[in-house]
Amino acid sequence: MKATTNETHDPALQSWVKSANAAGSDFPIQNLPYGVFRRRGSHENWRSGVAIGDQIVDLAAAAKSARSAFPHEASDALQAAAGHTLNEFMGLGHAAWSALRLALSRGLRAGSSAEALLKHCLVPQTEAEHSVPARIGDYTDFYTSIHHATHIGSLFRPDNPLMPNYKWIPIGYHGRSSSVIVSGHDFKRPVGQVKPQGADAPVVRASQRMDIELELGVFVGAGNALGEPIAMAQAEDHVFGFVLLNDWSARDIQPWEYQPLGPFLAKNFATTISPWIVTTEALAPYRAAPPERPAGDPAPLAYLDSPENGTHGAIDMQLEILLQTPKMKEANQRAARICLTNYQYAYWTFAQLVAHHTVNGCNLRPGDLFGTGTLSGPNPDQAAALIEITHGGKQPITLPNGETRTFLEDGDSVILRGWCEKAGHPRIGLGECRGTVLPARAIQRDQDDRATD
Amino acid sequence: MKATTNETHDPALQSWVKSANAAGSDFPIQNLPYGVFRRRGSHENWRSGVAIGDQIVDLAAAAKSARSAFPHEASDALQAAAGHTLNEFMGLGHAAWSALRLALSRGLRAGSSAEALLKHCLVPQTEAEHSVPARIGDYTDFYTSIHHATHIGSLFRPDNPLMPNYKWIPIGYHGRSSSVIVSGHDFKRPVGQVKPQGADAPVVRASQRMDIELELGVFVGAGNALGEPIAMAQAEDHVFGFVLLNDWSARDIQPWEYQPLGPFLAKNFATTISPWIVTTEALAPYRAAPPERPAGDPAPLAYLDSPENGTHGAIDMQLEILLQTPKMKEANQRAARICLTNYQYAYWTFAQLVAHHTVNGCNLRPGDLFGTGTLSGPNPDQAAALIEITHGGKQPITLPNGETRTFLEDGDSVILRGWCEKAGHPRIGLGECRGTVLPARAIQRDQDDRATD
């Protein structure tokens, strides 16, 4: 458990990168998240960088021209971080992450002697485009909000909303890594088999119930060998950091396909993540106790329990969903907030996800990604998917411009944001995770005919 | 659809590698499967090779010293195939695969002028160890045997064995790529949450119902772009080839965890594949019609249908499971066959798996792996998992030495084999897929105590 703070969290720290000191910045010197980028529209190599204010420290450039500003251990870590994915750096483990973080913090501080060297490594964020920051070996999606599990369960299985295993097992399943895309990459509405209510046979059509799922993505750092579980006491040391994650879902494909082996094509057409990985270490000041389990709920089994987890296993992080329709874009209207929730409500902590995933010996690898599952809170305005917000599509929401929505229409953009803030501490932001639903591909007429035979 | 045969299938072809001409060989010159190997116990680089008789053609060596024996297109393909995984070669597509196959076939034929060059590239199979032959981006497991789905469904859901979607959808779900291991790598019996019948709470213990699932693994060759489905007419062109696959399953972990999102820890601790990928092209002489759908079953929807699929979408391939207990090993007794089935019984063909997987725009990448699902046939001796063979563990099988088994015991080895044969054609074998269940790791006493509170 690494909830301790150190000098890199000092609220008084200011950077010579002036934009990092602005009150509303997601990326003050106390954050220092990692991403992979290049200049937009260029054919430059992808390389890693660290966000600071409205700039990026180009780590490949720093590894070439500014290594003298980094002490030995940090210099080795910098070399590993300078590649076109973060996997190698992630695999080094938390001591190396800490060393580089400290060196970057010192180098970027106001008055640092490294300013002259590092200044030449800055790229403005407005000029950058991003790629998925790691080669994701496996993507696992969990189901850690009991509020979401209960709401959505009651829609799919009215008689049996919460399965008896829910309070014992951090339920998870394997998702698709190939279709994880980075913020700003749009995707086509998926086509698939849907069984309309009362119909005898399924039809093949574009999904009419396109949904959002607001989640956090958890990037695994150092992995474990096959057959060797990770205990709760070490679990957090294996987590590199967090991104926002939108687990786009086709709610009409899902109920017809998901029995008995789980969701498949309803989920694997696209999963959008934000470009900047905010490290577990940067979030240390915002650690919090998980919600107390209601009376009657079982205590976590030993392999899912630790004293530290009960006192600060959670993270107090605000999360919101914003929606912007084509009409709002035309009229230059801001995206409208449709959900404000908090990661702290999760029934299972991220350490518990690591311990559970590996209890059978399953091996995690650097760059593996977990989704937390939809992070709905206990209150209605904390519902983090449209299917919950609209009660299964029955109660449309009205947007500020008078438009209504049950599910997403073509051209709708969804923006996820996340941040930690509290008095006396700088805001630690996750940036944004943005995606737009493009119209579905045309379905050939003969397919249509056959499908509705 | 590439069911056409060409000169590489000529039954009369003989190789100057004499062992390839023996009647029982899995690897005659008409096969030429790809794998990745190095000399056992060495620190050599992993590199690709092609099996011929009891030898391996080292493709890295061939790319260095024997390129003059390969025409232009085959030479480029050879270069791509010479790396430490087959991904790059797989991504080149079927024209390149065919070109290299033809060149290898010509170079390995009795009387070939390339014999002198290629002879220096041979490594005996007995001296080799293997790795997983591709970097598997995503592993998807299907459920294509209606016989298995019905048998196992009746054990998990007696009232509702076959879901209403089964005859419409080639049901699949995402599995774990990190724990795919190659034949000969043993693994520990998994530990996990199990809810004993009648108990109020789950316990954490080593699985007591360790099972086998005999499947085929299908390696994807060229991929597709996100958002662009692969139609049935092109589906087979995207398939590189086949391996044997054992989807080890913990049957006591599965029922407690799998609702509502599907199997997870019951399956992801180990999946064993055979080292040699037998190409789709090598299997052309063994293509067959899929089983006729019983009267009343729906016809496949248009996106899952094609005229060619109905006439030769299947493959007539024999598949067997052999079991060897520690006592049998001590007594030098051969492994005992406990199942003999055929891939031809599958309800869904491999082309249908490709078309379905991508209908929503999901992108496949070179080296992705599909499992066909357990390939049980219609008859009891064709049941391809112990849970089916022993009727849910209620009817033990008796082995030739008098031992009985319901599920696997520690030290038990399972060997899968597969082959195609018919009069007038050489046997095309898949080699073997072998794994041994090692004892579970020790569970800490406090975990045990807590688990049974």
Side-chain angles (χ1 to χ4, degrees), chain B residues 173-190:
Chain B
Y173 71 110
H174 290 295
R176 182 89 195 163
S177 70
S178 72
S179 52
V180 175
I181 54 181
V182 77
S183 178
H185 286 254
D186 305 330
F187 61 91
K188 293 181 197 164
R189 178 182 297 270

Side-chain angles (χ1 to χ4, degrees), chain B residues 40-60:
Chain B
R40 186 178 304 119
S42 76
H43 292 284
E44 293 176 352
N45 289 333
W46 294 104
R47 70 268 192 187
S48 304
V50 166
I52 177 81
D54 60 7
Q55 302 291 310
I56 301 170
V57 182
D58 179 337
L59 294 186

Side-chain angles (χ1 to χ4, degrees), chain A residues 145-164:
Chain A
S145 161
I146 196 168
H147 311 292
H148 173 68
T150 306
H151 291 160
I152 201 163
S154 70
L155 296 167
F156 280 73
R157 298 171 304 277
D159 304 336
N160 192 20
L162 198 66
M163 295 287 176

Side-chain angles (χ1 to χ4, degrees), chain A residues 9-12 286 421-427:
Chain A
H9 302 112
D10 181 351
Y286 294 96
E421 58 189 2
K422 65 179 176 185
H425 279 269
R427 167 192 171 105

Side-chain angles (χ1 to χ4, degrees), chain B residues 26 212-216 244-246 317-323 334-343 375 381-385 389 414-421 427 430-434:
Chain B
D26 271 352
I212 304 156
E213 289 195 338
L214 162 60
E215 307 193 10
L216 281 172
L244 297 158
L245 186 150
N246 192 339
M317 183 190 289
Q318 307 282 328
L319 297 161
E320 71 175 348
I321 306 176
L322 303 161
L323 176 60
R334 284 194 312 180
R337 177 189 283 175
I338 60 172
C339 165
L340 177 65
T341 182
N342 194 305
Y343 181 37
L375 290 171
D381 60 348
Q382 294 166 333
I389 297 171
V414 176
I415 302 108
L416 309 183
R417 290 215 180 104
W419 65 91
C420 299
E421 59 188 0
R427 167 193 172 105
L430 273 81
E432 70 171 36
C433 175
R434 177 188 294 265

Side-chain angles (χ1 to χ4, degrees), chain A residues 161-389:
Chain A
L162 198 66
M163 295 287 176
N165 55 16
Y166 188 88
K167 294 173 180 177
W168 297 96
I169 295 183
I171 294 290
Y173 71 110
H174 290 295
R176 183 89 195 163
S177 71
S178 72
S179 53
V180 175
I181 55 181
V182 76
S183 179
H185 286 255
D186 306 330
F187 62 90
K188 292 180 197 164
R189 178 182 296 271
V191 165
Q193 280 195 42
V194 172
K195 185 129 177 284
Q197 229 173 0
D200 289 336
V203 296
V204 177
R205 69 179 184 204
S207 171
Q208 295 172 359
R209 290 163 72 92
M210 264 298 302
D211 203 354
I212 304 155
E213 289 195 338
L214 164 59
E215 307 192 10
L216 282 172
V218 181
F219 272 103
V220 173
N224 60 307
L226 188 66
E228 302 299 332
I230 299 171
M232 275 298 281
Q234 282 78 48
E236 288 200 5
D237 288 347
H238 289 262
V239 173
F240 181 73
F242 294 81
V243 291
L244 297 158
L245 185 149
N246 192 338
D247 181 22
W248 308 94
S249 298
R251 298 297 185 195
D252 39 3
I253 294 173
Q254 191 172 347
W256 174 234
E257 75 164 1
Y258 93 110
Q259 295 269 24
L261 299 180
F264 183 50
L265 300 188
K267 300 273 197 175
N268 70 5
F269 54 91
T271 305
T272 306
I273 61 172
S274 55
W276 294 112
I277 309 177
V278 173
T279 62
T280 314
E281 190 171 357
L283 296 167
Y286 294 96
R287 301 306 296 270
E292 214 163 318
R293 291 190 160 205
D297 281 13
L301 293 173
Y303 79 97
L304 296 172
D305 205 5
S306 77
E308 300 87 348
N309 196 63
T311 57
H312 53 265
I315 302 174
D316 177 10
M317 183 190 290
Q318 306 282 328
L319 298 160
E320 70 175 349
I321 306 176
L322 302 161
L323 176 61
Q324 195 179 31
T325 69
K327 278 196 184 150
M328 292 161 78
K329 291 177 204 173
E330 277 166 36
N332 254 325
Q333 287 163 337
R334 285 194 313 181
R337 177 189 283 176
I338 60 172
C339 165
L340 177 64
T341 182
N342 193 305
Y343 181 37
Q344 201 180 339
Y345 299 123
Y347 195 85
W348 298 102
T349 66
F350 65 96
Q352 288 171 322
L353 306 187
V354 170
H356 182 65
H357 204 318
T358 61
V359 67
N360 68 342
C362 181
N363 56 325
L364 307 180
R365 296 177 292 190
D368 281 356
L369 179 65
F370 297 172
T372 56
T374 310
L375 289 171
S376 302
N379 301 324
D381 61 348
Q382 294 166 334
L386 285 169
I387 195 169
E388 290 179 68
I389 297 171

Side-chain angles (χ1 to χ4, degrees), chain A residues 77-96:
Chain A
L78 175 66
Q79 199 60 42
H84 65 288
T85 71
L86 285 162
N87 294 76
E88 185 186 343
F89 178 54
M90 290 166 153
L92 293 182
H94 66 98

